[in-house]
Each structure stands twice: as C-alpha cells, then as structure tokens.
Amino acid sequence: MLYWLYELAVAEGGHYPLLNLMKYLTFRTGMALFTAQLVVVLMGSRFIRWMQARQGKGQPIRADGIERHILEKSGTPTMGGVMILAGLFTGALLWCDLSNVYVWAVLLVTAGFGVLGFLDDYAKVTRQSSAGVSGRLRLVVEALLAGTAVLMMVLWGRSSAGESGLYTSVAIPVLKDFLINLGWFYLAFGAFVIVGAANAVNFTDGLDGLATVPVMIAAAAFGLIAYLVGNAVFASYLQLHLVPGVGEVAVFCGAVIGAGLGFLWYNAPPARIFMGDTGSLALGGALGATAVATKHEVVLALIGGLFVAETLSVMIQVAYFKRTGKRIFLMAPIHHHFEKLGWSESTIVIRFWIISVMLAILGLATLKLR
C-alpha cells in the first residue's frame, strides 16, 4: 500500500526522500519484518488471555502420545496462527507492491490455508478431540487453492518478459540450462509442492518452537532467492533463470520472518500458545508458494529438508505398520521418536534448528554451483 504512495508521488513529480525509500526492496523487506513482528508482539498477551477464556481446556492432547505432554501442555490454548497471520498480512499489505501478481498468489495460499487450518483447530477445540476437518476434504480444498495460485503465476509468467517456457518448467539445481517442461501438468506439480509443504510443516509442529524457527530460516533463504532471481543483474551473474517481478516476494518473506519472531516471543518453551493448524498450514503453504514463484521447487526439498524428514517418518511408519503390524520408530513424527528415546524437548528443538540452518546453507549453495 505504501508503495502506491511512492508511485503516486513520482507520477506527480514530487520529491519526498522518505517515500523514495519505497523503491528499495531491501528497505521494504526490513520494514515488513519489523511491522509484522511489532503487530504480533503487541497483540500477543491480550490475544492469549482471550483465547484461554474462550477455549477453556485449550488444545486437546493425544491420549496415546507423550505422557509428559498431557501433564505439561494441557490447557495451553491453540490458534496462535491467528496472531501470525495478523502480523504477516499487516506487514505484507503495507510494504509490498500490491500490483504484483506473485504477491497476491502467495497471499491467496497463505490466507486460504490459514482459514482451513482455523476451521480444523476450531473443530478440535469445540469437540475436544484430535480429529478436526476430514483429511480428504482438507486435501481437496488445499489442492484447489494451490492450483489457483499456480495458475495465476503461470499466466502472469507467460505475459511477462521472462524466459520462454520457464513458467511451466521445473529447474534442476546445479544444471544451469536444464529445464523439464511439464506443460499444463505443471499446475498439478506446483499444487503438489504447495500442499506437500503445508502438510510437512503441519507434521513438524509438535514441540514448542520446533516449526516456528525452521519456517523463519526457510523464509530467509527464499527471501534471498526471490531477490536474486528477480534481479536481472544478479540472475545473470549467478546464471539463474530470471523471473521478472518475483523479487517482490522477498518483502513477503520478510513479513513471514517478522511474524515468526513475534510469535516465538510467546511460543518459546514453555509455550503460552500453540500456532495450531491455523499457523502451520498457512506458513507451510506460503513456503511452497514462494518456491513455485521463484522456480526453486526442488531446492525447497533441501532447504526444507527437516519438514521432509518429519513427513517421511510418518509415511514410513504408517506404511510399515500396515504391512507388518510393527513400528520402525517409537513414535512418529520423528521428533516424538527422540522424545521416547529420552531426549529433552529443548535438546530436540535446538538440534533441529541447527539442522535447518545447515540445510538452508546447502540450499543457498546451489545458487552458485553451476
């Protein structure tokens, strides 16, 4: 919104030094981060007290889960994702160029998945059950939202001055000229990436702060990728596929980081509130949509490797149990396996954060390896 004021001032021939800062992506990214964090921190305590009063028993804890969770986490309210989304959207809408279709595509996914997660959380709290919205229905709605966003980005890409065929192709890291053109099947592939990322973050959100920091780390990495891929000079130097206009997504990533920092103030162990599906689905979907927008879908699997590992642990556990009646892990997702082994919650969380940093560095390294 503030970017429009800058454009209006330029159109009228005015010279306002402060407004001129709006033309710098780096400035607006930093301000989006600060704004989002400030909004979440300011609304935090009042919102948490209000949610405690409304929810009573808070988020239901699985009876077959970790015994310590039943004792220590019962009564903690959920739907903290509402705080995250409030800060994220305030920061993004204030500082992004709202004429940019990539911004709207990513916001569509974030908002749509956030609403779906809220309905899931609401069902769990009101029923005091771990069963929320039907899994099949949830996947269908997620796929429709993701497919719509991918279509927006493909159509925009075809009408821009970008590389021909890029917008329906999958770029492979390290191989600078190699593209796999999927044609219109790319819509299904892009939707799969977004839905997969959303549910992967959802699986990871099981301990205080466990999902929040890796999401911020991944958002920081993709913010840098968006900035480089959207800049003709840097993209040429690094031999990346130029995606005109996608640099604006870096401002959105700044808002994600800021909202995550603000939420971590209240979600750090011991958590005063859980983000719930409202936050995890929205943030995961946002990461997936950002990867699709920047044409770095494959790199997401590396930068978000922690989320991939959590998801694979669930899939392997379920498949093996159905086939043999036995379990590979003591409990899935895999962070619960380490709890069962006797690791403390803080040890698991911090070590997983370290892994996320290492994976983000490896993912960014692929930008130069050509």
Side-chain angles (χ1 to χ4, degrees), residues 122 127 129 166 201 242 279 321 337 354 356:
Y122 184 80
R127 299 172 187 168
S129 167
L166 173 63
V201 174
L242 174 66
F321 184 79
H337 171 78
I354 294 171
S356 295

Side-chain angles (χ1 to χ4, degrees), residues 85 89 106-116 145 282:
L85 293 178
F89 273 83
V106 175
L107 287 176
L108 169 65
V109 171
T110 307
F113 280 43
V115 170
L116 187 60
L145 287 168

Side-chain angles (χ1 to χ4, degrees), residues 236-276:
S236 175
Y237 173 72
L238 293 170
Q239 301 181 51
L240 302 172
H241 298 285
L242 174 66
V243 185
V246 82
E248 201 64 33
V249 174
V251 183
F252 171 84
C253 289
V256 172
I257 298 168
L261 284 171
F263 182 69
L264 189 63
W265 186 267
Y266 303 100
N267 187 238
R272 293 177 56 190
I273 190 169
F274 301 137
M275 72 165 67

Side-chain angles (χ1 to χ4, degrees), residues 74-86:
S74 295
T76 304
T78 186
M79 299 186 191
V82 173
M83 297 164 54
I84 296 174
L85 293 178

Side-chain angles (χ1 to χ4, degrees), residues 45-60 75-80 82 118 121-128 272-273:
S45 293
R46 292 182 180 180
F47 180 80
I48 292 170
R49 288 195 296 269
W50 185 75
M51 292 304 286
Q52 285 174 328
R54 298 283 293 181
Q55 293 183 17
K57 295 181 180 180
Q59 176 173 300
T76 304
T78 186
M79 299 186 191
V82 173
F118 178 86
D121 286 335
Y122 184 80
K124 291 176 181 177
V125 170
T126 52
R127 299 172 187 168
Q128 277 300 297
R272 293 177 56 190
I273 190 169

Side-chain angles (χ1 to χ4, degrees), residues 62 66 200 203-207 210 305-317 328-343 348-349 352 355:
R62 286 172 53 184
I66 305 295
F203 282 131
T204 306
D205 181 34
L207 299 177
L210 179 59
L306 176 66
F307 307 128
V308 173
E310 293 275 11
T311 305
L312 286 176
S313 70
V314 174
M315 295 172 65
I316 292 170
Q317 183 87 322
I328 293 179
F329 304 105
L330 297 178
M331 188 175 178
I334 198 168
H335 57 262
H336 290 318
H337 171 78
F338 291 112
E339 280 194 291
K340 289 282 191 178
L341 287 176
W343 291 23
I348 297 169
V349 169
F352 277 35
I355 292 171

